Amino acid sequence: MSVTTRRLATPAPAPSAPRLVLAPTRDRAVLDGGWWPRSWDPAAELPGLVLALSERHGRIRHLMLNLRTWDSRFRRLPVGPDEVRIGWFDTLDPALLVATTGRDVQVDLLVVPPGTPRAAAEWAMATAADPTNLRHAPDILANAPVGPRAAATTGSDADAVWDNEGGSTAPIGRHPVNDPHTIPPRTGVPS
């Protein structure tokens, strides 16, 4: 006889309202919207997202996330009366989160890294939620405002450099790269 232990997340006391923009419809679009979490802590970020998605799409039964991007991993997340299964995949792009509803509808969201400057994050979420958008999540992040365009929209030279996690290099001292496909694991990013 063997005992299987199910790993459950300990949810935050009250889920915060997610920074989420959803497409009004999904005609030809590649994505259903964009989400900008405040941290890489899934127990703090996912409950609010699940509740917001449930309002639009009904019960969310499964989430798929990148294995290496988030601070911790668990298999099940209690949200209200439901329990959401969480799948962690090394092959899933860090810029993508896939939710499956109780009716087997797939909801694909761009994940904007928490440290992304506000102007770039808002642009990326709006682009992902555009029902005519045909770009995939990593392509949207790669084309988000950087350099002089970001400085002009944020008003800060410190926000002008986009590092490998989408944030400014000035406060956290990271080296800039041009490939947002390789978002490494994060530890404790403040919002």
Side-chain angles (χ1 to χ4, degrees):
M1 178 184 269
S2 66
V3 176
T4 303
T5 304
R6 291 188 337 185
R7 293 182 57 188
L8 291 170
T10 305
S16 62
R19 300 182 290 190
L20 176 68
V21 179
L22 294 173
T25 62
R26 187 178 187 191
D27 297 325
R28 304 175 323 174
V30 173
L31 297 165
D32 296 296
W35 174 50
W36 184 25
R38 290 173 176 81
S39 72
W40 288 118
D41 178 2
E45 300 296 333
L46 294 177
L49 176 66
V50 168
L51 290 173
L53 290 175
S54 295
E55 287 178 17
R56 167 75 77 82
H57 298 286
R59 181 179 168 269
I60 303 298
R61 65 177 177 81
H62 191 239
L63 294 176
M64 293 184 278
L65 300 132
N66 179 271
L67 173 70
R68 303 199 186 282
T69 305
W70 296 86
D71 288 342
S72 61
R73 288 177 286 289
F74 42 83
R75 296 272 182 207
R76 301 196 185 280
L77 176 71
V79 179
D82 292 323
E83 188 175 86
V84 180
R85 290 181 305 144
I86 310 292
W88 302 96
F89 300 91
D90 198 27
T91 56
L92 185 66
D93 194 289
L96 184 65
L97 176 143
V98 179
T100 306
T101 70
R103 293 173 289 187
D104 288 327
V105 174
Q106 182 173 314
V107 180
D108 296 332
L109 295 177
L110 164 75
V111 178
V112 179
T116 303
R118 178 171 296 281
E122 289 173 351
W123 177 89
M125 289 189 299
T127 301
D130 182 344
T132 62
N133 171 53
L134 298 178
R135 288 185 274 183
H136 293 272
D139 298 329
I140 292 172
L141 291 182
N143 290 302
V146 296
R149 289 187 303 166
T153 59
T154 63
S156 168
D157 288 337
D159 291 329
V161 178
W162 185 303
D163 80 348
N164 62 342
E165 294 173 20
S168 170
T169 57
I172 57 177
R174 303 228 184 244
H175 298 289
V177 297
N178 293 323
D179 185 8
H181 296 87
T182 56
I183 300 172
R186 290 292 295 181
T187 55
V189 176
S191 60

